[in-house]
Amino acid sequence: MSSNIPEFPVNSGPATANITPNPLSGRQRLDMALAHIQPDSDAQGISAPSALTMSELAEPIDRVNDVMRAYNVQFELSEYEGRIVTRIVDRDSQELIRQIPSEETLRIAETLEQRQGRLVDWEA
């Protein structure tokens, strides 16, 4: 299986040779990190609970952030109108890489909740 991790040349010169930093974007670093995470064999076939609370997610997110520190990416959790929102952020620049659910999805859900019961207009 080929790896997407870039190969760095072996330094055969003096120890003071300049090494350029990896110019990957936050999204590229996240994709590389996620490609190396294998699901637990014990967790396969077991369905996850339907609703988790912020306190139940705190420890797993801390563990993920410990692993992702090497890729300079961090996960942040917040709550918006009863929904848990996960943000993946570049540690250095604090640039948002991805948000789940997206802002658009949150707006759609909010609009649907406001219009609940008014989507279908039946006449007898």
Side-chain angles (χ1 to χ4, degrees):
M1 179 191 303
S2 69
S3 174
N4 290 337
I5 298 176
E7 297 272 336
F8 292 101
V10 176
N11 185 5
S12 60
T16 59
N18 291 334
I19 299 174
T20 57
N22 191 343
L24 297 176
S25 70
R27 175 164 285 194
Q28 289 169 322
R29 289 193 312 268
L30 174 64
D31 290 341
M32 285 175 44
L34 292 177
H36 290 89
I37 296 175
Q38 299 294 325
D40 290 340
S41 59
D42 296 338
Q44 292 177 355
I46 299 174
S47 62
S50 60
L52 295 173
T53 64
M54 289 283 286
S55 60
E56 293 171 325
L57 292 172
E59 182 185 344
I61 290 298
D62 288 341
R63 288 193 324 245
V64 167
N65 280 334
D66 287 341
V67 172
M68 299 304 271
R69 186 168 283 120
Y71 297 96
N72 215 23
V73 174
Q74 74 182 19
F75 284 69
E76 298 174 351
L77 293 180
S78 61
E79 199 163 341
Y80 176 76
E81 294 187 7
R83 290 178 175 82
I84 294 177
V85 177
T86 305
R87 298 179 72 217
I88 305 167
V89 179
D90 182 288
R91 281 184 183 273
D92 291 335
S93 68
Q94 293 300 307
E95 173 190 359
L96 178 66
I97 298 170
R98 182 173 288 171
Q99 177 177 309
I100 306 163
S102 66
E103 287 292 330
E104 294 83 12
T105 303
L106 291 172
R107 282 196 303 260
I108 290 169
E110 183 179 359
T111 302
L112 288 174
E113 283 180 16
Q114 292 171 354
R115 296 174 189 221
Q116 187 174 2
R118 293 183 277 170
L119 290 176
V120 178
D121 187 18
W122 292 88
E123 288 186 19

